[in-house]
């Protein structure tokens, strides 16, 4: 069991009490009363806060944080010590004392004396580093644990990269006592979400987005509804999307909703892996050397698709179809730790086309020669289309045409499409993408009624190209359909089960309509 804990940190008694009441609605397992945040802290105020929290039957931690360890006010050591002793007397379930203060018997002995009369109150001894990881994490834990073997050890540090979370997981695995580890900042989010999986005693969640008491906290609402807090256990399978940036990704919402709908024991998390190859490689090495973490696969997106391809080439097996593409968006990890890589943009491109037109022998124009064009060119040429790649930078079109054994031309000659009676046109450039929604890679006059026009751009859903094509009476496919098909294929590879198409479509459409 890990306790989902919301810190309450307000500057006046009234605001503090209001926030306790509003947070209680979300049903946290614990509330942390950050009394150091209050301007005029008195025993009466403390008593009112504790009474309010207790009226909701939620256990409480009372903290009066030293400003040297991130406390908001510069309360004297005597005030902080007296507040903690009084909190014990008033029925706090836990009190938090910084290790730097605990080491001074003049500070800690009165706390221990007060606690000896209230055996149900537990002591948390904490250490914080808001600037960097604790590079000697294990030694610090041992020092605190040796100082008090019954105390809960809390270590909160800033993760500079996601790889700084792994020392925390190792320590939690080897722990000799209850331990709380919070990896702070955007790079530490993983450590917060998977707390029940790795035996973290507590994870701190904010009362709402923008109300974080430390960087990187996820809101309690997202912990429960987006990240399936109540379903995570030591047995839960882990999945995630590797990206930089990762915040905009729809994948956690899509996967977790499908897991929920099918009672699949999994949680899917955002994984902010810095853009460089070294961080990516180190992340994968960290995952593979810790099979007990239970990671079973990843979605991979910008900027890591090529890094992922190269890593899996060295350490696993690449799907035959993904080889000429030179990039993958899916990494699966089998029960015995074998890696396999694939590119589901291939299925994303071909499936919607196969549903409405003939591909074999179809004269097909691919506009663009970037990452998506590679997957689309692989899919179309494999299925017998006669492909010409049109691109602004002709050398890139030539290079791609060489790989897939097809034709190429400059996008400046796009008017050929009408005269040469192309059957299928697929836009793989970013033209028409929000905010440039009035742009199209293809003049309206080049569109024929018997063409199939496919735009991989999905933001907006109906691009100018698709509107023009519909006006001419051509068949159309939008970028959501590609996104949906690639997601369904990826879900199948990663979980060996079928995704709920309706749920994915609803989530994607809702997000894109609101963006
Ligand atoms: P990319 O590697 O950066 O390639 C971009 C392509 O667009 C290049 O060929 C580039 O030509 C061309 N381009 C950019 N601006 C242009 C302009 N003003 N005029 C003419 N050509 C221009 O990007 P990508 O990863 O392939 O992604 C391309 C698009 O695919 C994105 O916009 C995205 O919306 C879409 N996409 C869709 C899905 C889906 O599932 N539906 C998935 C991923 C991506 P140069 O070579 O000359 O620079």
């Amino acid at each position: 069991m890990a306790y989902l804990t919301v810190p309450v940190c307000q500057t006046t008694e009234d605001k503090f009490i209001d926030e306790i009441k509003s947070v209680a609605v979300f049903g946290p397992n614990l509330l942390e009363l950050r009394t150091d945040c209050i301007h005029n802290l008195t025993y009466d105020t403390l008593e009112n806060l504790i009474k309010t929290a207790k009226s909701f039957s939620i256990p409480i931690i009372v903290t009066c944080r030293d400003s040297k360890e991130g406390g908001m006010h510069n309360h004297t050591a005597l005030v902080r010590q007296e507040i903690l002793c009084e909190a014990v007397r008033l029925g706090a379930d836990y009190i938090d004392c910084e290790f730097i203060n605990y080491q001074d018997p003049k500070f800690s002995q009165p706390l221990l004396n007060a606690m000896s009369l209230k055996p149900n109150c537990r002591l948390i001894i904490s250490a914080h580093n808001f600037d960097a990881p604790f590079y000697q994490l294990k030694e610090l834990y041992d020092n605190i644990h040796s100082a008090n073997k019954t105390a809960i050890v809390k270590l909160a540090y800033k993760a500079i990269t996601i790889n700084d979370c792994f020392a925390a997981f190792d320590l939690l695995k080897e722990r000799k006592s209850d331990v709380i580890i919070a990896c702070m900042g955007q790079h530490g989010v993983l450590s917060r979400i998977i707390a029940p999986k790795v035996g973290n005693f507590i994870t701190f969640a904010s009362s709402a987005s923008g109300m974080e008491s430390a960087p990187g906290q996820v809101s309690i609402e997202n912990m429960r509804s987006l990240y399936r807090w109540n379903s995570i256990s030591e047995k839960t399978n882990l999945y995630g999307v590797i990206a930089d940036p990762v915040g905009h990704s729809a994948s956690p919402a899509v996967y977790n909703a499908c897991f929920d709908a099918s009672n699949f024991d999994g949680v899917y998390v955002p994984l902010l892996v810095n853009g460089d190859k070294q961080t990516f490689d180190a992340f994968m090495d960290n995952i593979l050397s810790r099979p007990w973490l239970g990671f079973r696969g990843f979605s991979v997106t910008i900027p890591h698709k090529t890094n992922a391809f190269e890593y899996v080439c060295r350490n696993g097996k690449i799907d035959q179809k993904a080889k000429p593409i030179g990039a993958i968006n899916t990494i699966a990890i089998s029960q015995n730790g074998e890696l396999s890589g694939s590119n589901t943009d291939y299925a994303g491109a071909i499936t919607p086309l196969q549903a409405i037109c003939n591909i074999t022998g179809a004269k097909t124009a691919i506009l663009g020669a970037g990452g998506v064009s590679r997957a689309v060119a692989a899919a179309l040429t494999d299925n017998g289309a006669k492909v010409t790649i049109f691109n602004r930078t002709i050398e890139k079109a030539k290079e791609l045409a060489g790989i897939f054994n097809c034709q190429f031309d400059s996008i400046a000659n796009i008017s050929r499409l009408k005269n040469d009676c192309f059957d299928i046109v697929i836009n793989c450039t970013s033209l028409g993408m929000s905010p440039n929604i009035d742009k199209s890679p293809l003049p309206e006059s080049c569109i024929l009624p018997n063409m199939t026009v496919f735009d991989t751009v999905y933001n907006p859903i109906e691009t100018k190209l698709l509107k023009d094509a519909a006006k001419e009476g051509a068949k159309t496919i939008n970028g959501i359909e590609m996104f949906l098909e690639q997601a369904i294929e990826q879900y199948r590879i990663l979980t060996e089960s079928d995704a709920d198409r309706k749920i994915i479509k609803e989530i994607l459409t809702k997000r894109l309509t609101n963006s």
Side-chain angles (χ1 to χ4, degrees):
M1 164 91 186
Y3 294 99
L4 186 56
T5 303
V6 177
V8 180
C9 194
Q10 289 290 344
T11 50
T12 67
E13 184 179 323
D14 288 350
K15 286 187 195 164
F16 214 114
I17 286 177
D18 284 348
E19 193 171 339
I20 291 173
K21 289 178 181 167
S22 63
V23 170
V25 173
F26 291 105
N29 304 126
L30 277 172
L31 280 177
E32 182 190 28
L33 308 184
R34 282 285 304 271
T35 60
D36 53 288
C37 300
I38 296 185
H39 290 315
N40 298 310
L41 183 56
T42 63
Y43 287 161
D44 284 347
T45 299
L46 177 69
E47 188 167 3
N48 288 339
L49 302 185
I50 292 180
K51 266 192 190 152
T52 309
K54 291 259 165 197
S55 71
F56 292 98
S57 305
I58 302 172
I60 51 168
I61 304 170
V62 174
T63 300
C64 193
R65 181 71 67 233
D66 189 337
S67 59
K68 287 195 220 80
E69 296 261 319
M72 194 173 259
H73 284 296
N74 209 0
H75 297 302
T76 63
L78 188 61
V79 168
R80 285 183 278 109
Q81 182 194 55
E82 286 181 348
I83 286 291
L84 293 181
C85 288
E86 187 62 11
V88 175
R89 283 190 282 272
L90 290 169
D93 302 274
Y94 304 85
I95 57 163
D96 179 320
C97 171
E98 302 79 16
F99 187 46
I100 50 167
N101 294 320
Y102 185 83
Q103 286 166 289
D104 177 359
K106 280 198 247 101
F107 192 95
S108 52
Q109 200 51 55
L111 301 186
L112 296 171
N113 293 344
M115 292 181 77
S116 67
L117 303 174
K118 294 277 185 178
N120 290 335
C121 180
R122 289 194 69 188
L123 178 65
I124 299 170
I125 304 179
S126 60
H128 305 78
N129 187 341
F130 290 90
D131 301 319
F134 286 123
Y135 289 108
Q136 309 293 327
L137 192 66
K138 174 100 176 37
E139 288 75 358
L140 180 58
Y141 168 78
D142 284 340
N143 287 342
I144 299 177
H145 181 62
S146 317
N148 185 325
K149 293 211 162 47
T150 59
I152 300 162
V153 178
K154 176 187 167 190
L155 303 166
Y157 64 83
K158 180 172 178 181
I160 307 288
T161 81
I162 195 166
N163 292 312
D164 294 325
C165 295
F166 291 95
F169 302 147
D170 291 345
L171 177 57
L172 285 163
K173 187 166 187 275
E174 292 161 20
R175 67 190 184 276
K176 293 173 261 183
S177 62
D178 288 329
V179 184
I180 303 164
I181 309 189
C183 299
M184 295 185 283
Q186 287 312 306
H187 300 275
V189 167
L190 170 65
S191 77
R192 297 187 185 273
I193 299 173
I194 67 167
K197 167 86 191 180
V198 291
N200 212 341
F201 190 73
I202 276 176
T203 210
F204 293 95
S206 65
S207 56
S209 171
M211 298 292 287
E212 298 78 13
S213 68
Q217 283 172 359
V218 176
S219 72
I220 183 166
E221 191 178 1
N222 277 345
M223 278 290 203
R224 285 206 193 282
S225 58
L226 178 58
Y227 296 121
R228 319 190 68 228
W229 176 264
N230 291 342
S231 307
I232 306 174
S233 72
E234 285 172 11
K235 292 192 188 128
T236 300
N237 297 301
L238 303 185
Y239 298 88
V241 51
I242 299 175
D244 180 13
V246 74
H248 65 286
S249 174
S251 297
V254 162
Y255 272 82
N256 288 322
C258 289
F259 291 168
D260 249 0
S262 60
N263 277 327
F264 182 89
D265 190 7
V267 64
Y268 185 104
V269 295
L271 299 163
L272 176 59
V273 176
N274 283 351
D276 57 291
K277 184 170 154 42
Q278 288 83 341
T279 307
F280 178 88
D281 288 356
F283 174 75
M284 288 304 300
D285 289 347
N286 277 320
I287 293 289
L288 293 184
S289 59
R290 293 171 180 80
W292 43 267
L293 274 177
F295 267 98
R296 298 301 310 281
F298 305 104
S299 313
V300 184
T301 185
I302 293 169
H304 288 300
K305 288 184 184 182
T306 314
N307 293 335
F309 180 87
E310 289 168 3
Y311 189 90
V312 178
C313 277
R314 291 194 304 274
N315 298 287
K317 246 173 68 185
I318 297 277
D319 173 57
Q320 206 56 32
K321 288 177 189 159
K323 280 188 183 161
I325 303 173
I328 54 171
N329 68 349
T330 308
I331 300 176
I333 306 175
S334 73
Q335 285 285 8
N336 44 12
E338 287 153 359
L339 283 190
S340 54
S342 41
N343 193 320
T344 64
D345 285 337
Y346 184 112
I350 210 72
T351 313
L353 276 169
Q354 276 169 334
I356 62 166
C357 65
N358 243 333
I359 297 172
T360 315
K363 264 186 121 170
T364 302
I366 295 177
L367 317 185
V372 168
S373 304
R374 280 180 171 257
V376 172
L380 272 289
T381 51
D382 276 359
N383 283 275
K386 290 184 192 150
V387 172
T388 306
I389 295 168
F390 293 83
N391 197 41
R392 179 177 60 179
T393 310
I394 192 82
E395 294 77 26
K396 285 205 216 160
K398 186 176 176 189
E399 187 196 336
L400 224 59
I403 297 170
F404 296 104
N405 198 18
C406 58
Q407 307 295 308
F408 68 95
D409 204 342
S410 163
I411 206 152
N413 297 328
I414 200 72
S415 55
R416 269 185 58 199
L417 258 58
K418 186 172 186 177
N419 301 336
D420 294 354
C421 297
F422 271 75
D423 303 303
I424 301 173
V425 184
I426 309 173
N427 175 38
C428 301
T429 74
S430 43
L431 281 170
M433 191 166 88
S434 178
N436 302 312
I437 57 169
D438 295 330
K439 296 249 187 297
S440 167
L442 192 60
E444 206 176 327
S445 58
C446 295
I447 303 172
L448 298 168
N450 57 350
M451 275 180 178
T452 298
V453 178
F454 180 173
D455 201 340
T456 66
V457 170
Y458 54 79
N459 185 12
I461 301 171
E462 291 305 315
T463 58
K464 175 163 176 11
L465 172 63
L466 293 183
K467 284 182 192 157
D468 291 346
K471 238 190 277 171
E472 294 301 318
K475 286 187 263 186
T476 60
I477 299 172
N478 66 38
I480 285 247
E481 293 175 65
M482 173 172 177
F483 198 104
L484 178 68
E485 295 303 336
Q486 71 77 25
I488 285 170
E489 171 74 353
Q490 185 178 73
Y491 188 96
R492 193 186 57 72
I493 294 171
L494 294 184
T495 66
E496 294 170 5
S497 60
D498 290 330
D500 188 322
R501 176 180 291 268
K502 194 162 155 260
I503 289 181
I504 301 186
K505 194 161 187 177
E506 258 172 36
I507 291 173
L508 292 178
T509 311
K510 196 162 147 202
R511 282 181 81 105
L512 289 169
T513 313
N514 295 335
S515 69

